Amino acid sequence: EGTIHAGFARMKDRKGGSRHALVFDVRIGNTDLAIVNEVARIADILGVKYAFYSWKNPRRDKERRCWHVSFLGWERCEGILKPLLPYMIGSKRQQAELALRLISHRRATWKSTWGGSRQGFGASPVDAETMQGVEDLRKMKRVEYDADRKPVQR
């Protein structure tokens, strides 16, 4: 399982205040540690930094632990999505293509207003095209079901 996300987060600035910033995130998770380790190995080969963590819902004893690899920031997301894109299919491929277009547009229009990093955490004003791209990505991820609880193709 994986998710491709672009959204806004409140980030602290150097003066002690906070601003909303556009954040990109790609996460890949599975209950099979070997699968997640393989993703981490591929990221190591590509030279893409990541965070590795596990999570288990403490309220559900029968649920298995889930392992995750997270790529936070536009450089890391771009670094993992570009080489994986040829192997993606369906809606996940469409989400990855849109995220890559959004990253490319944001890279061309981004200007740090507070000394933010190159990872895309700067609080530069967001233009209408970026806002529309974030909303389109959210809409792509919504799944609708029919009366028989089967996913509906849009």
Side-chain angles (χ1 to χ4, degrees):
E1 285 294 315
T3 185
I4 300 169
H5 173 77
F8 296 92
R10 180 161 278 193
M11 308 294 284
K12 290 185 178 181
D13 65 18
R14 293 180 183 183
K15 297 178 183 176
S18 64
R19 301 177 185 191
H20 284 92
L22 180 60
V23 178
F24 296 90
D25 185 24
V26 172
R27 293 182 194 176
I28 301 168
N30 202 295
T31 56
D32 184 348
L33 180 58
I35 291 172
V36 181
N37 278 336
E38 183 65 12
V39 172
R41 187 183 74 76
I42 291 168
D44 287 338
I45 290 168
L46 295 171
V48 180
K49 293 183 180 181
Y50 56 88
F52 192 94
Y53 64 96
S54 69
W55 188 82
K56 182 176 182 339
N57 189 338
R59 296 181 184 156
R60 296 185 180 160
D61 290 337
K62 295 179 183 178
E63 205 171 86
R64 294 174 61 185
R65 178 170 297 279
C66 190
W67 303 89
H68 298 269
V69 176
S70 177
F71 304 91
L72 183 63
W74 67 26
E75 287 181 333
R76 293 173 185 170
C77 290
E78 188 177 51
I80 199 68
L81 289 176
K82 276 186 175 181
L84 293 182
L85 189 63
Y87 305 99
M88 293 180 173
I89 59 171
S91 63
K92 197 57 70 180
R93 182 183 183 100
Q94 292 172 342
Q95 291 173 27
E97 288 170 342
L98 177 58
L100 287 169
R101 282 195 308 272
L102 189 56
I103 289 168
S104 176
H105 174 74
R106 189 62 174 159
R107 184 186 303 278
T109 60
W110 179 74
K111 178 185 172 198
S112 174
T113 58
W114 55 308
S117 73
R118 296 178 314 158
Q119 287 294 320
F121 297 135
S124 178
V126 177
D127 64 356
E129 188 174 339
T130 302
M131 289 294 289
Q132 187 61 52
V134 170
E135 185 58 30
D136 289 348
L137 188 58
R138 282 188 188 148
K139 286 179 184 176
M140 284 178 140
K141 293 166 65 168
R142 291 189 190 122
V143 178
E144 297 175 12
Y145 297 92
D146 63 14
D148 297 325
R149 299 275 305 142
K150 293 182 180 173
V152 176
Q153 294 288 345
R154 288 181 263 157

